[in-house]
PDB file of all heavy atoms in Angstrom:
ATOM      1  N   PRO A  24      -0.415 -48.616 -67.046  1.00 94.00           N
ATOM      2  CA  PRO A  24       0.688 -48.238 -66.150  1.00 94.00           C
ATOM      3  C   PRO A  24       1.799 -47.402 -66.779  1.00 94.00           C
ATOM      4  O   PRO A  24       2.840 -47.215 -66.161  1.00 94.00           O
ATOM      5  CB  PRO A  24       1.217 -49.590 -65.662  1.00 94.00           C
ATOM      6  CG  PRO A  24       0.867 -50.554 -66.727  1.00 94.00           C
ATOM      7  CD  PRO A  24      -0.383 -50.031 -67.392  1.00 94.00           C
ATOM      8  N   VAL A  25       1.623 -46.935 -68.011  1.00 94.00           N
ATOM      9  CA  VAL A  25       2.598 -46.046 -68.650  1.00 94.00           C
ATOM     10  C   VAL A  25       1.840 -44.905 -69.319  1.00 94.00           C
ATOM     11  O   VAL A  25       0.626 -44.981 -69.505  1.00 94.00           O
ATOM     12  CB  VAL A  25       3.462 -46.774 -69.714  1.00 94.00           C
ATOM     13  CG1 VAL A  25       4.331 -47.838 -69.076  1.00 94.00           C
ATOM     14  CG2 VAL A  25       2.611 -47.353 -70.829  1.00 94.00           C
ATOM     15  N   GLN A  26       2.566 -43.843 -69.696  1.00 93.00           N
ATOM     16  CA  GLN A  26       1.895 -42.757 -70.384  1.00 93.00           C
ATOM     17  C   GLN A  26       1.297 -43.280 -71.689  1.00 93.00           C
ATOM     18  O   GLN A  26       1.846 -44.179 -72.337  1.00 93.00           O
ATOM     19  CB  GLN A  26       2.823 -41.571 -70.612  1.00 93.00           C
ATOM     20  CG  GLN A  26       3.950 -41.827 -71.600  1.00 93.00           C
ATOM     21  CD  GLN A  26       4.922 -40.671 -71.639  1.00 93.00           C
ATOM     22  OE1 GLN A  26       5.562 -40.355 -70.648  1.00 93.00           O
ATOM     23  NE2 GLN A  26       5.039 -40.043 -72.789  1.00 93.00           N
ATOM     24  N   THR A  28       1.083 -42.324 -74.694  1.00 93.00           N
ATOM     25  CA  THR A  28       1.838 -42.290 -75.948  1.00 93.00           C
ATOM     26  C   THR A  28       2.768 -43.495 -76.102  1.00 93.00           C
ATOM     27  O   THR A  28       3.216 -43.782 -77.208  1.00 93.00           O
ATOM     28  CB  THR A  28       2.668 -40.995 -76.062  1.00 93.00           C
ATOM     29  OG1 THR A  28       3.581 -40.918 -74.972  1.00 93.00           O
ATOM     30  CG2 THR A  28       1.761 -39.775 -76.101  1.00 93.00           C
ATOM     31  N   LEU A  29       3.042 -44.188 -75.001  1.00 95.00           N
ATOM     32  CA  LEU A  29       3.898 -45.372 -75.060  1.00 95.00           C
ATOM     33  C   LEU A  29       3.097 -46.659 -75.241  1.00 95.00           C
ATOM     34  O   LEU A  29       3.669 -47.720 -75.482  1.00 95.00           O
ATOM     35  CB  LEU A  29       4.752 -45.485 -73.792  1.00 95.00           C
ATOM     36  CG  LEU A  29       5.753 -44.356 -73.582  1.00 95.00           C
ATOM     37  CD1 LEU A  29       6.489 -44.537 -72.266  1.00 95.00           C
ATOM     38  CD2 LEU A  29       6.735 -44.274 -74.736  1.00 95.00           C
ATOM     39  N   LEU A  30       1.783 -46.559 -75.136  1.00 95.00           N
ATOM     40  CA  LEU A  30       0.951 -47.757 -75.197  1.00 95.00           C
ATOM     41  C   LEU A  30       1.092 -48.529 -76.510  1.00 95.00           C
ATOM     42  O   LEU A  30       1.231 -49.757 -76.481  1.00 95.00           O
ATOM     43  CB  LEU A  30      -0.509 -47.407 -74.917  1.00 95.00           C
ATOM     44  CG  LEU A  30      -1.462 -48.577 -74.791  1.00 95.00           C
ATOM     45  CD1 LEU A  30      -0.991 -49.588 -73.762  1.00 95.00           C
ATOM     46  CD2 LEU A  30      -2.859 -48.074 -74.439  1.00 95.00           C
ATOM     47  N   PRO A  31       1.092 -47.879 -77.690  1.00 94.00           N
ATOM     48  CA  PRO A  31       1.292 -48.669 -78.914  1.00 94.00           C
ATOM     49  C   PRO A  31       2.610 -49.441 -78.919  1.00 94.00           C
ATOM     50  O   PRO A  31       2.682 -50.561 -79.422  1.00 94.00           O
ATOM     51  CB  PRO A  31       1.269 -47.619 -80.030  1.00 94.00           C
ATOM     52  CG  PRO A  31       0.507 -46.486 -79.461  1.00 94.00           C
ATOM     53  CD  PRO A  31       0.843 -46.470 -77.982  1.00 94.00           C
ATOM     54  N   LEU A  32       3.648 -48.856 -78.333  1.00 96.00           N
ATOM     55  CA  LEU A  32       4.937 -49.551 -78.268  1.00 96.00           C
ATOM     56  C   LEU A  32       4.846 -50.768 -77.358  1.00 96.00           C
ATOM     57  O   LEU A  32       5.333 -51.856 -77.687  1.00 96.00           O
ATOM     58  CB  LEU A  32       6.029 -48.603 -77.777  1.00 96.00           C
ATOM     59  CG  LEU A  32       6.217 -47.316 -78.581  1.00 96.00           C
ATOM     60  CD1 LEU A  32       7.294 -46.446 -77.937  1.00 96.00           C
ATOM     61  CD2 LEU A  32       6.538 -47.600 -80.026  1.00 96.00           C
ATOM     62  N   ARG A  33       4.205 -50.617 -76.196  1.00 96.00           N
ATOM     63  CA  ARG A  33       4.065 -51.738 -75.264  1.00 96.00           C
ATOM     64  C   ARG A  33       3.202 -52.836 -75.868  1.00 96.00           C
ATOM     65  O   ARG A  33       3.519 -54.022 -75.755  1.00 96.00           O
ATOM     66  CB  ARG A  33       3.484 -51.262 -73.926  1.00 96.00           C
ATOM     67  CG  ARG A  33       3.209 -52.385 -72.942  1.00 96.00           C
ATOM     68  CD  ARG A  33       4.372 -53.358 -72.765  1.00 96.00           C
ATOM     69  NE  ARG A  33       5.376 -52.862 -71.871  1.00 96.00           N
ATOM     70  CZ  ARG A  33       6.650 -53.226 -71.924  1.00 96.00           C
ATOM     71  NH1 ARG A  33       7.078 -54.095 -72.817  1.00 96.00           N
ATOM     72  NH2 ARG A  33       7.517 -52.721 -71.070  1.00 96.00           N
ATOM     73  N   VAL A  34       2.130 -52.450 -76.541  1.00 96.00           N
ATOM     74  CA  VAL A  34       1.262 -53.444 -77.180  1.00 96.00           C
ATOM     75  C   VAL A  34       2.069 -54.248 -78.202  1.00 96.00           C
ATOM     76  O   VAL A  34       1.937 -55.475 -78.292  1.00 96.00           O
ATOM     77  CB  VAL A  34       0.042 -52.770 -77.826  1.00 96.00           C
ATOM     78  CG1 VAL A  34      -0.728 -53.745 -78.702  1.00 96.00           C
ATOM     79  CG2 VAL A  34      -0.875 -52.194 -76.747  1.00 96.00           C
ATOM     80  N   GLY A  35       2.927 -53.562 -78.952  1.00 96.00           N
ATOM     81  CA  GLY A  35       3.781 -54.267 -79.912  1.00 96.00           C
ATOM     82  C   GLY A  35       4.694 -55.273 -79.252  1.00 96.00           C
ATOM     83  O   GLY A  35       4.868 -56.392 -79.749  1.00 96.00           O
ATOM     84  N   THR A  36       5.287 -54.913 -78.115  1.00 97.00           N
ATOM     85  CA  THR A  36       6.189 -55.870 -77.439  1.00 97.00           C
ATOM     86  C   THR A  36       5.404 -57.055 -76.868  1.00 97.00           C
ATOM     87  O   THR A  36       5.911 -58.176 -76.853  1.00 97.00           O
ATOM     88  CB  THR A  36       7.012 -55.203 -76.316  1.00 97.00           C
ATOM     89  OG1 THR A  36       6.146 -54.732 -75.297  1.00 97.00           O
ATOM     90  CG2 THR A  36       7.869 -54.083 -76.854  1.00 97.00           C
ATOM     91  N   ILE A  37       4.186 -56.807 -76.414  1.00 97.00           N
ATOM     92  CA  ILE A  37       3.362 -57.910 -75.889  1.00 97.00           C
ATOM     93  C   ILE A  37       3.020 -58.890 -77.015  1.00 97.00           C
ATOM     94  O   ILE A  37       3.187 -60.106 -76.876  1.00 97.00           O
ATOM     95  CB  ILE A  37       2.097 -57.376 -75.202  1.00 97.00           C
ATOM     96  CG1 ILE A  37       2.464 -56.645 -73.900  1.00 97.00           C
ATOM     97  CG2 ILE A  37       1.109 -58.505 -74.913  1.00 97.00           C
ATOM     98  CD1 ILE A  37       1.317 -55.885 -73.252  1.00 97.00           C
ATOM     99  N   LEU A  53       9.867 -55.289 -84.759  1.00 96.00           N
ATOM    100  CA  LEU A  53       8.882 -54.230 -84.591  1.00 96.00           C
ATOM    101  C   LEU A  53       9.215 -53.069 -85.504  1.00 96.00           C
ATOM    102  O   LEU A  53      10.378 -52.722 -85.692  1.00 96.00           O
ATOM    103  CB  LEU A  53       8.866 -53.752 -83.137  1.00 96.00           C
ATOM    104  CG  LEU A  53       8.364 -54.788 -82.131  1.00 96.00           C
ATOM    105  CD1 LEU A  53       8.618 -54.309 -80.712  1.00 96.00           C
ATOM    106  CD2 LEU A  53       6.891 -55.069 -82.347  1.00 96.00           C
ATOM    107  N   TRP A 130      -0.640 -57.332 -67.775  1.00 96.00           N
ATOM    108  CA  TRP A 130       0.200 -56.136 -67.808  1.00 96.00           C
ATOM    109  C   TRP A 130      -0.521 -54.962 -67.171  1.00 96.00           C
ATOM    110  O   TRP A 130       0.064 -54.210 -66.395  1.00 96.00           O
ATOM    111  CB  TRP A 130       0.587 -55.825 -69.252  1.00 96.00           C
ATOM    112  CG  TRP A 130       1.182 -54.477 -69.433  1.00 96.00           C
ATOM    113  CD1 TRP A 130       2.468 -54.108 -69.142  1.00 96.00           C
ATOM    114  CD2 TRP A 130       0.528 -53.309 -69.914  1.00 96.00           C
ATOM    115  NE1 TRP A 130       2.647 -52.779 -69.427  1.00 96.00           N
ATOM    116  CE2 TRP A 130       1.467 -52.261 -69.904  1.00 96.00           C
ATOM    117  CE3 TRP A 130      -0.761 -53.043 -70.366  1.00 96.00           C
ATOM    118  CZ2 TRP A 130       1.161 -50.979 -70.334  1.00 96.00           C
ATOM    119  CZ3 TRP A 130      -1.075 -51.771 -70.787  1.00 96.00           C
ATOM    120  CH2 TRP A 130      -0.118 -50.752 -70.764  1.00 96.00           C
ATOM    121  N   ARG A 134       2.978 -53.334 -62.975  1.00 93.00           N
ATOM    122  CA  ARG A 134       3.734 -52.085 -63.011  1.00 93.00           C
ATOM    123  C   ARG A 134       4.586 -52.092 -64.263  1.00 93.00           C
ATOM    124  O   ARG A 134       4.986 -53.127 -64.758  1.00 93.00           O
ATOM    125  CB  ARG A 134       4.608 -51.979 -61.771  1.00 93.00           C
ATOM    126  CG  ARG A 134       3.797 -51.890 -60.493  1.00 93.00           C
ATOM    127  CD  ARG A 134       4.665 -52.046 -59.281  1.00 93.00           C
ATOM    128  NE  ARG A 134       5.762 -51.085 -59.297  1.00 93.00           N
ATOM    129  CZ  ARG A 134       6.195 -50.442 -58.252  1.00 93.00           C
ATOM    130  NH1 ARG A 134       5.651 -50.662 -57.083  1.00 93.00           N
ATOM    131  NH2 ARG A 134       7.190 -49.602 -58.340  1.00 93.00           N
ATOM    132  N   ASP A 135       4.877 -50.912 -64.748  1.00 95.00           N
ATOM    133  CA  ASP A 135       5.711 -50.759 -65.938  1.00 95.00           C
ATOM    134  C   ASP A 135       6.360 -49.389 -65.853  1.00 95.00           C
ATOM    135  O   ASP A 135       5.962 -48.558 -65.042  1.00 95.00           O
ATOM    136  CB  ASP A 135       4.842 -50.870 -67.200  1.00 95.00           C
ATOM    137  CG  ASP A 135       5.625 -51.315 -68.433  1.00 95.00           C
ATOM    138  OD1 ASP A 135       6.867 -51.376 -68.373  1.00 95.00           O
ATOM    139  OD2 ASP A 135       4.986 -51.588 -69.460  1.00 95.00           O
ATOM    140  N   SER A 136       7.351 -49.162 -66.675  1.00 95.00           N
ATOM    141  CA  SER A 136       7.983 -47.847 -66.687  1.00 95.00           C
ATOM    142  C   SER A 136       8.334 -47.475 -68.120  1.00 95.00           C
ATOM    143  O   SER A 136       8.513 -48.343 -68.981  1.00 95.00           O
ATOM    144  CB  SER A 136       9.247 -47.839 -65.829  1.00 95.00           C
ATOM    145  OG  SER A 136      10.307 -48.491 -66.507  1.00 95.00           O
ATOM    146  N   SER A 137       8.439 -46.194 -68.354  1.00 95.00           N
ATOM    147  CA  SER A 137       8.790 -45.691 -69.683  1.00 95.00           C
ATOM    148  C   SER A 137      10.125 -46.261 -70.143  1.00 95.00           C
ATOM    149  O   SER A 137      10.265 -46.679 -71.297  1.00 95.00           O
ATOM    150  CB  SER A 137       8.856 -44.165 -69.668  1.00 95.00           C
ATOM    151  OG  SER A 137       7.614 -43.617 -69.335  1.00 95.00           O
ATOM    152  N   ASP A 138      11.108 -46.277 -69.256  1.00 96.00           N
ATOM    153  CA  ASP A 138      12.432 -46.775 -69.630  1.00 96.00           C
ATOM    154  C   ASP A 138      12.388 -48.233 -70.072  1.00 96.00           C
ATOM    155  O   ASP A 138      13.053 -48.619 -71.043  1.00 96.00           O
ATOM    156  CB  ASP A 138      13.419 -46.616 -68.467  1.00 96.00           C
ATOM    157  CG  ASP A 138      13.762 -45.167 -68.186  1.00 96.00           C
ATOM    158  OD1 ASP A 138      13.554 -44.318 -69.076  1.00 96.00           O
ATOM    159  OD2 ASP A 138      14.222 -44.876 -67.072  1.00 96.00           O
ATOM    160  N   VAL A 139      11.610 -49.041 -69.376  1.00 97.00           N
ATOM    161  CA  VAL A 139      11.501 -50.462 -69.725  1.00 97.00           C
ATOM    162  C   VAL A 139      10.804 -50.620 -71.076  1.00 97.00           C
ATOM    163  O   VAL A 139      11.238 -51.394 -71.930  1.00 97.00           O
ATOM    164  CB  VAL A 139      10.781 -51.246 -68.611  1.00 97.00           C
ATOM    165  CG1 VAL A 139      10.483 -52.675 -69.050  1.00 97.00           C
ATOM    166  CG2 VAL A 139      11.608 -51.242 -67.329  1.00 97.00           C
ATOM    167  N   VAL A 140       9.711 -49.893 -71.280  1.00 97.00           N
ATOM    168  CA  VAL A 140       8.996 -49.966 -72.560  1.00 97.00           C
ATOM    169  C   VAL A 140       9.932 -49.598 -73.708  1.00 97.00           C
ATOM    170  O   VAL A 140      10.026 -50.323 -74.703  1.00 97.00           O
ATOM    171  CB  VAL A 140       7.759 -49.039 -72.566  1.00 97.00           C
ATOM    172  CG1 VAL A 140       7.142 -48.974 -73.963  1.00 97.00           C
ATOM    173  CG2 VAL A 140       6.727 -49.493 -71.548  1.00 97.00           C
ATOM    174  N   LEU A 141      10.620 -48.483 -73.577  1.00 97.00           N
ATOM    175  CA  LEU A 141      11.506 -48.020 -74.640  1.00 97.00           C
ATOM    176  C   LEU A 141      12.634 -49.011 -74.909  1.00 97.00           C
ATOM    177  O   LEU A 141      12.966 -49.296 -76.065  1.00 97.00           O
ATOM    178  CB  LEU A 141      12.068 -46.650 -74.292  1.00 97.00           C
ATOM    179  CG  LEU A 141      11.023 -45.522 -74.191  1.00 97.00           C
ATOM    180  CD1 LEU A 141      11.668 -44.269 -73.612  1.00 97.00           C
ATOM    181  CD2 LEU A 141      10.375 -45.246 -75.519  1.00 97.00           C
ATOM    182  N   ALA A 142      13.217 -49.556 -73.866  1.00 97.00           N
ATOM    183  CA  ALA A 142      14.321 -50.516 -74.031  1.00 97.00           C
ATOM    184  C   ALA A 142      13.837 -51.814 -74.677  1.00 97.00           C
ATOM    185  O   ALA A 142      14.486 -52.337 -75.592  1.00 97.00           O
ATOM    186  CB  ALA A 142      14.971 -50.808 -72.682  1.00 97.00           C
ATOM    187  N   GLU A 143      12.711 -52.334 -74.211  1.00 97.00           N
ATOM    188  CA  GLU A 143      12.210 -53.596 -74.770  1.00 97.00           C
ATOM    189  C   GLU A 143      11.779 -53.420 -76.219  1.00 97.00           C
ATOM    190  O   GLU A 143      12.035 -54.287 -77.052  1.00 97.00           O
ATOM    191  CB  GLU A 143      11.065 -54.144 -73.913  1.00 97.00           C
ATOM    192  CG  GLU A 143      11.548 -54.657 -72.574  1.00 97.00           C
ATOM    193  CD  GLU A 143      10.441 -55.251 -71.718  1.00 97.00           C
ATOM    194  OE1 GLU A 143       9.285 -55.358 -72.183  1.00 97.00           O
ATOM    195  OE2 GLU A 143      10.742 -55.615 -70.566  1.00 97.00           O
ATOM    196  N   TRP A 144      11.126 -52.306 -76.520  1.00 97.00           N
ATOM    197  CA  TRP A 144      10.715 -52.074 -77.905  1.00 97.00           C
ATOM    198  C   TRP A 144      11.955 -51.915 -78.790  1.00 97.00           C
ATOM    199  O   TRP A 144      12.045 -52.522 -79.862  1.00 97.00           O
ATOM    200  CB  TRP A 144       9.829 -50.831 -78.002  1.00 97.00           C
ATOM    201  CG  TRP A 144       9.138 -50.744 -79.324  1.00 97.00           C
ATOM    202  CD1 TRP A 144       7.899 -51.212 -79.644  1.00 97.00           C
ATOM    203  CD2 TRP A 144       9.678 -50.185 -80.521  1.00 97.00           C
ATOM    204  NE1 TRP A 144       7.636 -50.970 -80.965  1.00 97.00           N
ATOM    205  CE2 TRP A 144       8.713 -50.332 -81.537  1.00 97.00           C
ATOM    206  CE3 TRP A 144      10.882 -49.560 -80.838  1.00 97.00           C
ATOM    207  CZ2 TRP A 144       8.909 -49.899 -82.830  1.00 97.00           C
ATOM    208  CZ3 TRP A 144      11.087 -49.126 -82.142  1.00 97.00           C
ATOM    209  CH2 TRP A 144      10.103 -49.300 -83.124  1.00 97.00           C
ATOM    210  N   SER A 145      12.909 -51.118 -78.350  1.00 97.00           N
ATOM    211  CA  SER A 145      14.122 -50.869 -79.140  1.00 97.00           C
ATOM    212  C   SER A 145      14.894 -52.144 -79.426  1.00 97.00           C
ATOM    213  O   SER A 145      15.471 -52.303 -80.514  1.00 97.00           O
ATOM    214  CB  SER A 145      15.015 -49.857 -78.429  1.00 97.00           C
ATOM    215  OG  SER A 145      14.385 -48.600 -78.378  1.00 97.00           O
ATOM    216  N   ALA A 146      14.907 -53.064 -78.476  1.00 97.00           N
ATOM    217  CA  ALA A 146      15.641 -54.317 -78.649  1.00 97.00           C
ATOM    218  C   ALA A 146      15.009 -55.215 -79.717  1.00 97.00           C
ATOM    219  O   ALA A 146      15.683 -56.079 -80.275  1.00 97.00           O
ATOM    220  CB  ALA A 146      15.703 -55.071 -77.322  1.00 97.00           C
ATOM    221  N   ARG A 147      13.743 -55.011 -80.024  1.00 96.00           N
ATOM    222  CA  ARG A 147      13.041 -55.844 -80.997  1.00 96.00           C
ATOM    223  C   ARG A 147      12.836 -55.138 -82.342  1.00 96.00           C
ATOM    224  O   ARG A 147      12.180 -55.676 -83.230  1.00 96.00           O
ATOM    225  CB  ARG A 147      11.682 -56.250 -80.424  1.00 96.00           C
ATOM    226  CG  ARG A 147      11.799 -57.208 -79.244  1.00 96.00           C
ATOM    227  CD  ARG A 147      10.484 -57.311 -78.482  1.00 96.00           C
ATOM    228  NE  ARG A 147      10.573 -58.257 -77.390  1.00 96.00           N
ATOM    229  CZ  ARG A 147      11.075 -57.974 -76.198  1.00 96.00           C
ATOM    230  NH1 ARG A 147      11.551 -56.771 -75.933  1.00 96.00           N
ATOM    231  NH2 ARG A 147      11.113 -58.889 -75.256  1.00 96.00           N
ATOM    232  N   LEU A 168      14.216 -43.941 -80.251  1.00 97.00           N
ATOM    233  CA  LEU A 168      12.955 -43.543 -79.640  1.00 97.00           C
ATOM    234  C   LEU A 168      13.211 -42.408 -78.666  1.00 97.00           C
ATOM    235  O   LEU A 168      14.207 -42.414 -77.945  1.00 97.00           O
ATOM    236  CB  LEU A 168      12.333 -44.715 -78.871  1.00 97.00           C
ATOM    237  CG  LEU A 168      11.730 -45.826 -79.698  1.00 97.00           C
ATOM    238  CD1 LEU A 168      11.280 -46.972 -78.787  1.00 97.00           C
ATOM    239  CD2 LEU A 168      10.578 -45.330 -80.555  1.00 97.00           C
ATOM    240  N   LEU A 169      12.303 -41.472 -78.628  1.00 97.00           N
ATOM    241  CA  LEU A 169      12.352 -40.404 -77.634  1.00 97.00           C
ATOM    242  C   LEU A 169      11.552 -40.846 -76.413  1.00 97.00           C
ATOM    243  O   LEU A 169      10.770 -41.803 -76.476  1.00 97.00           O
ATOM    244  CB  LEU A 169      11.812 -39.108 -78.226  1.00 97.00           C
ATOM    245  CG  LEU A 169      12.551 -38.632 -79.490  1.00 97.00           C
ATOM    246  CD1 LEU A 169      11.892 -37.388 -80.061  1.00 97.00           C
ATOM    247  CD2 LEU A 169      14.021 -38.391 -79.192  1.00 97.00           C
ATOM    248  N   SER A 170      11.711 -40.170 -75.309  1.00 96.00           N
ATOM    249  CA  SER A 170      11.121 -40.616 -74.040  1.00 96.00           C
ATOM    250  C   SER A 170       9.606 -40.704 -74.062  1.00 96.00           C
ATOM    251  O   SER A 170       9.020 -41.459 -73.287  1.00 96.00           O
ATOM    252  CB  SER A 170      11.570 -39.706 -72.893  1.00 96.00           C
ATOM    253  OG  SER A 170      11.115 -38.385 -73.124  1.00 96.00           O
ATOM    254  N   ASP A 171       8.955 -39.986 -74.967  1.00 96.00           N
ATOM    255  CA  ASP A 171       7.494 -40.033 -75.047  1.00 96.00           C
ATOM    256  C   ASP A 171       6.984 -40.973 -76.139  1.00 96.00           C
ATOM    257  O   ASP A 171       5.805 -41.002 -76.444  1.00 96.00           O
ATOM    258  CB  ASP A 171       6.927 -38.631 -75.268  1.00 96.00           C
ATOM    259  CG  ASP A 171       7.432 -37.996 -76.553  1.00 96.00           C
ATOM    260  OD1 ASP A 171       8.222 -38.621 -77.295  1.00 96.00           O
ATOM    261  OD2 ASP A 171       7.029 -36.850 -76.831  1.00 96.00           O
ATOM    262  N   GLY A 172       7.882 -41.744 -76.758  1.00 96.00           N
ATOM    263  CA  GLY A 172       7.496 -42.714 -77.771  1.00 96.00           C
ATOM    264  C   GLY A 172       7.594 -42.215 -79.198  1.00 96.00           C
ATOM    265  O   GLY A 172       7.411 -42.994 -80.136  1.00 96.00           O
TER     266      GLY A 172
END
Side-chain angles (χ1 to χ4, degrees):
V25 295
Q26 68 187 62
T28 60
L29 296 177
L30 187 54
L32 304 177
R33 176 49 81 206
V34 170
T36 64
I37 291 171
L53 293 170
W130 167 78
R134 296 169 55 140
D135 205 351
S136 76
S137 298
D138 291 341
V139 172
V140 172
L141 296 170
E143 289 182 5
W144 193 93
S145 294
R147 292 165 178 83
L168 287 174
L169 302 176
S170 62
D171 60 0

